[in-house]
Amino acid sequence: MENMNRRKFLGYLGTGAAALAAASAGLGTLAPTAEAANSADHLFGFDKVKKTKKPHGFFKPIDIDWSNDLKLPEGFTHDVIAVYGDVINPAGDTFGMGADLNVFFPMNGSSDRGLLWTNCEYISDDKLLIDSAMPASMQGSSLLTKQLYHQGGAIIEVYKDANGSWKMDTTSTYARRHNGLTPFKLTGPAAASSAVGGATTVEGTWANCSGGMTLWNTVLSCEENFEKQAGLANRNSTHYGWVIEVDPFDVTDAGVDKNFTPRKHTSLGRFNHENTAMGLTKDGRIAVYMGDDKRGACVYKFISNGKYEPSKGKANSALLEDGKLYAANLGSGKWVELTIAAVRAAVDKSDFKVPTAIRAYSDATVDDLRAMFQTQADVLVNTHVAAIILGASPTDRPEDVEISPFDNSIFVAHTNNSHHGNIHGHITRFIEKDNDLGSVDFTYEIFAAGGRQSGFSAPDNLSFDSNGNLWTVTDYSPNQNSNIMKDFGNNSMFVIPTFGPNAGEAFRFASGPSGSELTGPWFTPDEKTLFLSVQHPSGTWPHRSGDSIPRPGVVAIKGFKF
Ligand code: FEO
Ligand code: CA
Ligand code: CA
């Protein structure tokens, strides 16, 4: 299997110099229009002169591995940039736990120096909350304070030194933390509503899984499995489960309008948010696609009412405060708008019954649901319940969603659902009507399925390169002694071409240290560096001298040929 894949991949790359031509040939009815290709250029740095940058060149796919090291193909190396407990700035703040999403923000247009936002998703083990991983001024803090400090996000300044090694600049004036102790402003219809206890500001963010970048150079970070920490902190759980926005360059977090405190956008709904993928509709509005990582959950999209105006810069953030929220009905191929009027009409029917996909998570009765939904804020706070009531399709753990730079099709990682035997998951491709992200009609196909035949299982984060390859990391529990999982090795990263002769085939590029999950793949604009997080490793990864605990963190992968 490995040899066959290698031969095919080399063949693909050997003929792949004209990637756009291959795209047109391979996609058939989905051939990208000039308009679609152009609209996506800026997102991926596509080279209009050479037609392709062919950035990821020839690599020999690696075999499965069970070791406690990060394994890469021949010719590729990695630098460990920052790990849990590292000091990140002169104030002594430290890098959090559970590294996930990475977003690189170039400084002065450089691919060699910039700010890196890294999500710090969760505390994998309270025993790892050692005092020395806290800032000096906070050592001796309570367990709860440590939990809250080490989740959220970390902004660090990173650079490539004269020897080509990536390092963290701990003298940075930008480096700082947003975490469970940081105030956030609520925006949108649920702010100040009774559905959130009247709050306009809430304390903290945690469970930050994946996310994305806005068109105005800020980060969106997604609160995923927020419930447990909300309970441990004795906080109102309706203050969590949102998409937050932070401007890494706004050091004081005061904002251009003195009002850009870090935000939680209630218009994007409250659920177990995995990530966001932002694009433009044909008429210039913002579309944000989102996954809800739980079994039997829906795929969402938000469309702003206003249009994106590049000259407004970060003021475009207001677009995320006012728009329509939809969930996908895969039976009808319709995006269903989630409105209080529609929910009320549904629950008020005399024959209304509590749908199965709601009963899986709640004991709510028909009367409970009728009481739950009074205003649009209630729809935004109880998004999953509203979506299911309105006929949106429960799917198998929709995690990362990405928009193809070639044709505006939407790739969704459906990680798995062990409750009904979808052990290895699949990647679904949505095709919007007229390739318009603003459409309310779509069709879809299964782009790739996990399993022995493909070599991957449980696809999670996705990231496109400018050649249309989908970089896919996996999230399962590796087990050498399991008949079902022994063929898959440690969690890995795969490259899956989305067009051409090898479309849908997975080629293993990286294998994580034992116990870990690789998360947050993100390329620099020149695509010479791939940032990648190593989450919940075991042993003492990354094996620095003197370490007695594992330290999740972020690495920079180098070796991409042009
Ligand atoms: Fe935090 Fe859905 O992975
Ligand atoms: Ca994830
Ligand atoms: Ca995951």
Side-chain angles (χ1 to χ4, degrees):
M1 177 63 115
E2 190 265 341
N3 282 338
M4 184 185 75
N5 277 357
R6 185 193 319 168
R7 193 168 64 243
K8 282 193 179 179
F9 194 46
L10 292 173
Y12 162 70
L13 287 172
T15 58
L20 258 189
S24 305
L27 286 171
T29 56
L30 291 178
T33 61
E35 186 182 350
N38 285 338
S39 71
D41 286 355
H42 69 288
L43 292 176
F44 294 87
F46 187 81
D47 189 324
K48 290 178 187 166
V49 179
K50 294 185 212 157
K51 300 298 184 204
T52 174
K53 294 195 298 184
K54 198 183 172 194
H56 304 302
F58 302 83
F59 76 86
K60 176 183 166 187
I62 63 172
D63 278 328
I64 67 166
D65 189 71
W66 299 99
S67 76
N68 199 7
D69 291 305
L70 174 62
K71 292 291 181 68
L72 299 170
E74 284 170 26
F76 291 84
T77 59
H78 72 276
D79 300 320
V80 177
I81 300 178
V83 297
Y84 166 63
D86 283 354
V87 171
I88 65 169
N89 63 14
D93 279 309
T94 57
F95 201 76
M97 198 184 290
D100 204 300
L101 169 77
N102 292 293
V103 182
F104 178 78
F105 296 89
M107 298 174 86
N108 302 315
S110 172
S111 282
D112 294 340
R113 179 178 279 268
L115 300 182
L116 188 70
W117 169 282
T118 302
N119 275 355
C120 305
E121 186 182 13
Y122 77 115
I123 307 301
S124 50
D125 184 346
D126 282 344
K127 287 200 284 294
L128 301 179
L129 292 169
I130 52 178
D131 238 5
S132 59
M134 293 292 283
S137 62
M138 296 180 72
Q139 291 182 3
S141 295
S142 69
L143 178 65
L144 176 61
T145 298
K146 287 175 176 169
Q147 290 171 342
L148 297 177
Y149 183 85
H150 281 302
Q151 295 176 76
I155 295 166
I156 60 174
E157 188 167 335
V158 296
Y159 66 101
K160 202 194 278 181
D161 72 9
N163 298 320
S165 294
W166 279 92
K167 297 205 162 69
M168 172 167 56
D169 181 351
T170 58
T171 69
S172 174
T173 55
Y174 293 100
R176 62 198 194 276
R177 292 291 317 274
H178 295 81
N179 56 26
L181 306 167
T182 310
F184 283 79
K185 175 177 139 179
L186 289 183
T187 79
S193 72
S194 58
V196 296
T200 54
T201 303
V202 299
E203 191 177 355
T205 187
W206 54 71
N208 304 72
C209 190
S210 187
M213 194 180 198
T214 64
L215 297 177
W216 47 93
N217 221 31
T218 60
V219 66
L220 297 178
S221 168
C222 292
E223 297 176 344
E224 189 193 37
N225 296 312
F226 58 90
E227 294 92 342
K228 182 178 169 201
Q229 188 67 63
L232 290 170
N234 194 25
R235 302 263 183 86
N236 182 336
S237 74
T238 66
H239 296 181
Y240 309 94
W242 303 105
V243 175
I244 70 165
E245 182 180 8
V246 172
D247 177 0
F249 291 100
D250 181 11
V251 180
T252 64
D253 291 318
V256 285
D257 55 357
K258 303 288 181 232
N259 196 24
F260 193 97
T261 53
R263 299 167 180 208
K264 299 194 182 196
H265 290 297
T266 69
S267 288
L268 302 181
R270 174 177 166 270
F271 42 92
N272 298 111
H273 277 282
E274 173 76 24
N275 94 318
T276 62
M278 181 178 284
L280 287 174
T281 67
K282 279 193 171 170
D283 65 2
R285 290 171 294 147
I286 293 292
V288 184
Y289 291 83
M290 300 172 284
D292 178 8
D293 184 6
K294 57 177 174 277
R295 297 182 190 98
C298 306
V299 179
Y300 296 90
K301 103 169 151 179
F302 167 86
I303 298 184
S304 63
N305 286 335
K307 292 185 179 178
Y308 174 59
E309 294 182 51
S311 64
K312 284 190 173 174
K314 286 166 184 172
N316 281 293
S317 171
L319 295 170
L320 299 180
E321 301 178 16
D322 179 25
K324 295 182 170 69
L325 185 61
Y326 299 87
N329 181 328
L330 277 71
S332 64
K334 296 277 187 196
W335 288 102
V336 180
E337 188 183 349
L338 308 182
T339 67
I340 185 60
V343 173
R344 285 257 34 124
V347 297
D348 284 342
K349 284 186 180 147
S350 58
D351 61 348
F352 175 72
K353 292 191 174 58
V354 180
T356 309
I358 293 175
R359 280 193 272 120
Y361 288 96
S362 148
D363 299 328
T365 64
V366 168
D367 286 341
D368 292 336
L369 295 181
R370 286 175 178 152
M372 180 182 287
F373 292 102
Q374 304 296 325
T375 67
Q376 187 65 19
D378 296 324
V379 172
L380 296 174
V381 168
N382 304 289
T383 307
H384 170 73
V385 177
I388 294 295
I389 287 172
L390 294 179
S393 300
T395 67
D396 292 345
R397 292 188 56 199
E399 293 211 68
D400 250 40
V401 185
E402 291 298 330
I403 304 167
S404 165
F406 286 91
D407 64 358
N408 267 353
S409 60
I410 317 300
F411 289 75
V412 182
H414 283 107
T415 294
N416 59 25
N417 188 340
S418 57
H419 284 195
H420 58 219
N422 184 2
I423 303 301
H424 297 303
H426 53 275
I427 300 173
T428 308
R429 182 185 204 172
F430 285 56
I431 300 103
E432 300 278 31
K433 187 179 179 194
D434 300 328
N435 297 325
D436 181 2
L437 304 186
S439 176
V440 293
D441 298 288
F442 66 92
T443 185
Y444 62 93
E445 62 198 33
I446 303 302
F447 166 69
R452 271 167 50 91
Q453 84 293 344
S454 62
F456 72 88
S457 178
D460 189 335
N461 299 155
L462 308 172
S463 185
F464 269 103
D465 67 32
S466 62
N467 269 350
N469 297 313
L470 193 60
W471 293 66
T472 306
V473 298
T474 62
D475 176 10
Y476 51 82
S477 298
N479 187 346
Q480 290 187 68
N481 301 316
S482 154
N483 282 340
I484 303 306
M485 298 310 298
K486 65 180 168 45
D487 295 325
F488 294 91
N490 287 345
N491 272 304
S492 294
M493 166 176 249
F494 294 84
V495 178
I496 309 179
T498 59
F499 51 77
N502 297 111
E505 281 196 54
F507 303 90
R508 191 181 310 257
F509 179 84
S511 174
S514 56
S516 77
E517 181 184 338
L518 300 174
T519 51
W522 192 276
F523 284 101
T524 50
D526 68 2
E527 296 184 319
K528 289 183 179 174
T529 301
L530 172 64
F531 296 107
L532 186 66
S533 292
V534 176
Q535 192 183 63
H536 56 77
S538 59
T540 58
W541 191 90
H543 315 302
R544 298 200 298 207
S545 63
D547 255 344
S548 57
I549 60 167
R551 295 186 187 265
V554 57
V555 305
I557 295 173
K558 308 166 301 185
F560 299 101
K561 303 290 191 302
F562 289 82

